[in-house]
Amino acid sequence: MTPFFAFSLLALGQVALASQDAFETRCAQFAEKIDIPDVKVNFAQYVPGGTNLSLPDNAPSCGAASQSVTVDLCRVAMAVKTSNSSEITLEAWFPRKYTGRFLSTGNGGLSGCIQYYDLAYTAQLGFATVGANNGHNGTSGEPFYHHPEVLRDFAYRSIHTGVVIGKELTKKFYDEGFNKSYYLGCSTGGRQGWKSVQKYPNDFDGVVAGSPAINFVNLISWSARFYPITGPPSSDTYLTPAEWNVVHNEILRQCDTIDGAKDGLIEDPTLCYPILETLICAPNPSNATGCLTSAQVQTANKVFSPLYGINGTLLYPRMQPGSEDFASTIMYNGEPFPYSKDWFRYVVYNNPIWSGKDFNVKDAAAALAQNPYNIQTWEGDLSSFQKSGGKVLHYHGMQDQLITSEDSKLYYSHVADTMQLPPSQLDDFYRFFTVSGMAHCGGGDGAYGIGQGTATYAGSDPEDNVLMAMVKWVEQGVAPETIRGSKFADGPGTKIEYRRRHCRYPRRNIHVGPGPYTDENSWRCI
Ligand SMILES: *[C@@H]1O[C@H](CO)[C@@H](O)[C@H](O)[C@H]1NC(C)=O
Ligand SMILES: *[C@@H]1O[C@H](CO)[C@@H](O)[C@H](O)[C@H]1NC(C)=O
Ligand SMILES: *[C@@H]1O[C@H](CO)[C@@H](O)[C@H](O)[C@H]1NC(C)=O
Ligand SMILES: *[C@@H]1O[C@H](CO)[C@@H](O)[C@H](O)[C@H]1NC(C)=O
Ligand SMILES: *[C@@H]1O[C@H](CO)[C@@H](O)[C@H](O)[C@H]1NC(C)=O
Ligand SMILES: *[C@@H]1O[C@H](CO)[C@@H](O)[C@H](O)[C@H]1NC(C)=O
């Protein structure tokens, strides 16, 4: 090639760059550059900030036909074979405004759904981010039926595969590669974060794991147990949502001020053991609206009791009091819990007509004996992760209606006992925060806005944002003492009514004044 010819090619290249800038060009050409075994690139597409991205391929049950994207990014969509009989759908989003950080998002429930809202959120914060479909599409557990490799993807392989490939692509896409890698997930996503900490201690420098579905098989059994306790809506043992609200108000009456503030929130539900017999209707009440039958009170007492196994072992702790308004319409609604039903149908018993109506502790034992691919995610020895220099930030809402926060406390103790480390030393790499007024992964009656996603976003300052707090911990060595949540006046992103600093376990929050409960400086972690 003559020097002249090379020069003119260069000039042509510059003309092309003027109409389509270097980032867009890089994105348009990226698909051809990917040559990784088992990876099939479907497309690489430049998405300008401000796009309302249409997602026609997303399974209808995932409930997301579109996603708004706020920053310029390159979207890469792939299919990745994970075995002869399984594959994951994987997306990598590379923002133009990049901070040198890699991140993996997670999933929820038994799904099957790329969390596009988390991809959009973390790309907006400058992370090169990946999200996978966890090995199947949609929210049902049916794809596990007679498909052990699909189940294996769900238990651990989808996230790890996405991380390995995502890191390789990030290095290819950005000349400067990446410096640190992060994980952000809640619920099943929280379990996936813990699975990475336990099984792949080098995958991440920082893991943010919320309301984790760890102790997974027992969680499935615990959730299956509510239907046999409440019965269907026609039975004497059932409580309507309005009756659960009566229970909720009585629980608040007995427990709200244990923390020193009458604010409708229980800072530490483990101190709350309500006596619900106070609600039993007197004979021939003139007004039965504010009281319950003794059968209903027994139902409530059973709901607030732990799940024990056939030999009396604790399988799963009790539902924490305070969540009953939220739980009434999903856990205590007089129908078998769908995820539990699917798990027993398609994983434990291979019986698609198993109804869940007669669930009992023998079923719990069968499920636990199976524990496929160690999906329990309950390893107490985190020393490999600790040695690799990893940090993990665990949080749990104290009004969680789907996964009791007491399971997170149990896990914290399990790690401390197994590693023989007191909290002061666990704090070097593992910090657990209890978030009062947060329901399952968001929502709730209090200051739940801690920035683990768009729906809880109250700013990017590390003080107000668990993900940025993790970045600060990993990159500057400054660990969060507390995490500050915002109470929104009228749902996510609306006016902030007040803020509250949530404590690092095993500390708990008490209101000491002199200001009102809305004053964050009037609280102490003790
Ligand atoms: C994006 O488009 C869908 C329909 O295509 C619409 O339902 C949705 O409201 C739009 N979202 C935004 C943020 O404009
Ligand atoms: C997957 O397929 C390959 C090629 O057909 C075969 O050699 C291999 O044994 C299969 N692996 C499994 C786990 O079935
Ligand atoms: C990684 O960190 C180094 C040192 O702080 C910095 O110079 C470099 O730009 C960073 N790389 C990326 C991809 O951000
Ligand atoms: C999931 O959906 C995508 C998009 O429609 C499809 O390409 C992929 O094959 C599906 N995956 C499975 C495991 O069915
Ligand atoms: C019955 O009690 C409920 C709850 O305590 C109250 O809201 C309602 O007004 C009472 N009804 C009558 C007729 O007194
Ligand atoms: C009791 O059950 C648990 C869970 O099924 C099991 O791990 C444990 O070994 C059992 N203990 C005894 C003494 O049978």
Side-chain angles (χ1 to χ4, degrees):
M1 192 188 284
T2 66
F4 173 78
F5 190 55
F7 177 79
S8 57
L9 264 186
L10 190 64
L12 275 175
Q14 277 162 351
V15 170
L17 287 182
S19 57
Q20 188 189 48
D21 75 22
F23 185 84
E24 289 174 61
T25 307
R26 180 177 287 254
C27 184
Q29 295 172 351
F30 192 56
E32 300 154 23
K33 293 202 183 132
I34 302 172
D35 181 19
I36 302 174
D38 298 327
V39 177
K40 178 177 155 278
V41 180
N42 294 327
F43 57 82
Q45 167 195 34
Y46 174 66
V47 182
T51 301
N52 182 2
L53 192 62
S54 169
L55 303 167
D57 292 336
N58 204 14
S61 64
C62 292
S66 64
Q67 174 61 50
S68 71
V69 175
T70 55
V71 295
D72 293 354
L73 56 83
C74 181
R75 175 189 178 203
V76 186
M78 295 155 276
V80 182
K81 193 173 151 180
T82 51
S83 77
N84 286 350
S85 54
S86 59
E87 67 164 36
I88 61 170
T89 300
L90 178 67
E91 295 215 7
W93 288 20
F94 298 121
R96 182 197 291 274
K97 222 175 137 212
Y98 171 58
T99 54
R101 299 174 185 131
F102 170 79
L103 182 140
S104 172
T105 62
N107 304 93
L110 295 186
S111 82
C113 298
I114 293 175
Q115 298 196 165
Y116 287 99
Y117 46 89
D118 283 337
L119 286 168
Y121 176 62
T122 51
Q124 182 184 332
L125 291 172
F127 294 82
T129 182
V130 294
N133 75 338
N134 223 1
H136 64 283
N137 291 324
T139 53
S140 162
E142 195 172 347
F144 302 142
Y145 189 43
H146 293 313
H147 284 100
E149 295 297 337
V150 175
L151 185 57
R152 189 196 291 270
D153 281 343
F154 180 79
Y156 69 87
R157 192 170 50 194
S158 175
I159 295 288
H160 180 64
T161 303
V163 168
V164 170
I165 289 162
K167 285 183 176 178
E168 203 172 331
L169 294 183
T170 303
K171 285 190 266 184
K172 262 193 173 63
F173 189 80
Y174 299 105
D175 295 333
E176 66 271 40
F178 67 90
N179 276 335
K180 296 291 178 194
S181 86
Y182 296 91
Y183 177 83
L184 179 69
C186 198
S187 194
T188 276
R191 184 189 67 77
Q192 291 166 320
W194 275 114
K195 181 54 88 179
S196 299
V197 168
Q198 295 169 11
K199 188 174 168 71
Y200 297 108
N202 298 305
D203 273 3
F204 301 111
D205 299 294
V207 169
V208 179
S211 312
I214 52 178
N215 196 2
F216 179 84
V217 175
N218 292 330
L219 166 63
I220 289 284
S221 295
W222 177 77
S223 318
R225 189 183 63 137
F226 292 117
Y227 176 82
I229 291 173
T230 66
S234 59
S235 62
D236 293 347
T237 46
Y238 180 80
L239 283 78
T240 63
E243 286 164 334
W244 278 112
N245 182 249
V246 169
V247 174
H248 180 66
N249 289 337
E250 178 62 9
I251 286 173
L252 286 184
R253 193 183 68 79
Q254 294 185 29
C255 297
D256 185 2
T257 55
I258 293 174
D259 53 32
K262 190 169 161 57
D263 57 355
L265 304 171
I266 301 170
E267 283 292 330
D268 188 354
T270 44
L271 300 178
C272 176
Y273 278 85
I275 293 163
L276 299 175
E277 283 69 19
T278 51
L279 291 172
I280 295 174
C281 300
N284 309 313
S286 57
N287 179 357
T289 309
C291 64
L292 303 177
T293 66
S294 50
Q296 290 176 315
V297 167
Q298 277 179 39
T299 294
N301 284 335
K302 284 182 194 161
V303 157
F304 295 116
S305 69
L307 173 65
Y308 294 102
I310 33 177
N311 59 11
T313 343
L314 174 69
L315 297 182
Y316 204 83
R318 66 168 186 166
M319 177 64 103
Q320 87 273 289
S323 55
E324 36 296 327
D325 275 343
F326 306 122
S328 66
T329 54
I330 179 157
M331 301 299 260
Y332 320 146
N333 65 357
E335 286 169 33
F337 187 61
Y339 292 147
S340 300
K341 198 166 71 177
D342 278 10
W343 187 261
F344 280 98
R345 282 182 171 180
Y346 303 118
V347 178
V348 182
Y349 292 137
N350 290 323
N351 171 11
I353 58 163
W354 189 83
S355 75
K357 295 198 167 152
D358 304 314
F359 170 86
N360 62 56
V361 289
K362 287 187 193 141
D363 298 307
L368 187 57
Q370 185 190 36
N371 182 21
Y373 309 110
N374 196 16
I375 195 167
Q376 269 288 75
T377 317
W378 196 252
E379 301 305 315
D381 179 3
L382 309 179
S383 52
S384 300
F385 184 74
Q386 180 191 24
K387 286 194 196 98
S388 78
K391 311 286 182 218
V392 55
L393 193 163
H394 176 178
Y395 66 87
H396 208 128
M398 296 295 109
Q399 282 191 302
D400 195 318
Q401 72 277 39
L402 288 175
I403 299 180
T404 181
S405 56
E406 303 212 352
D407 193 57
S408 279
K409 293 176 178 174
L410 194 64
Y411 181 67
Y412 186 91
S413 300
H414 177 50
V415 171
D417 294 345
T418 308
M419 297 185 74
Q420 300 181 37
L421 291 177
S424 59
Q425 290 184 23
L426 281 181
D427 275 353
D428 290 345
F429 73 99
Y430 170 21
R431 292 185 175 216
F432 170 43
F433 296 89
T434 55
V435 182
S436 63
M438 179 191 271
H440 187 59
C441 296
D445 294 333
Y448 65 76
I450 61 168
Q452 91 269 25
T454 316
T456 58
Y457 183 74
S460 300
D461 190 306
E463 204 181 349
D464 297 312
N465 189 299
V466 269
L467 178 56
M468 299 320 290
M470 176 49 91
V471 166
K472 190 172 172 187
W473 190 4
V474 166
E475 297 181 15
Q476 296 171 35
V478 182
E481 292 297 315
T482 53
I483 52 175
R484 187 160 79 154
S486 294
K487 154 87 174 159
F488 300 110
D490 197 20
T494 60
K495 190 172 142 306
I496 293 169
E497 240 176 65
Y498 63 83
R499 294 191 170 88
R500 188 171 298 176
R501 292 191 206 95
H502 300 293
C503 301
R504 183 165 89 249
Y505 194 73
R507 291 170 180 76
R508 63 193 158 82
N509 228 352
I510 56 161
H511 182 239
V512 292
Y517 69 77
T518 50
D519 173 19
E520 60 182 300
N521 295 317
S522 293
W523 290 84
R524 291 275 172 287
C525 294
I526 59 160

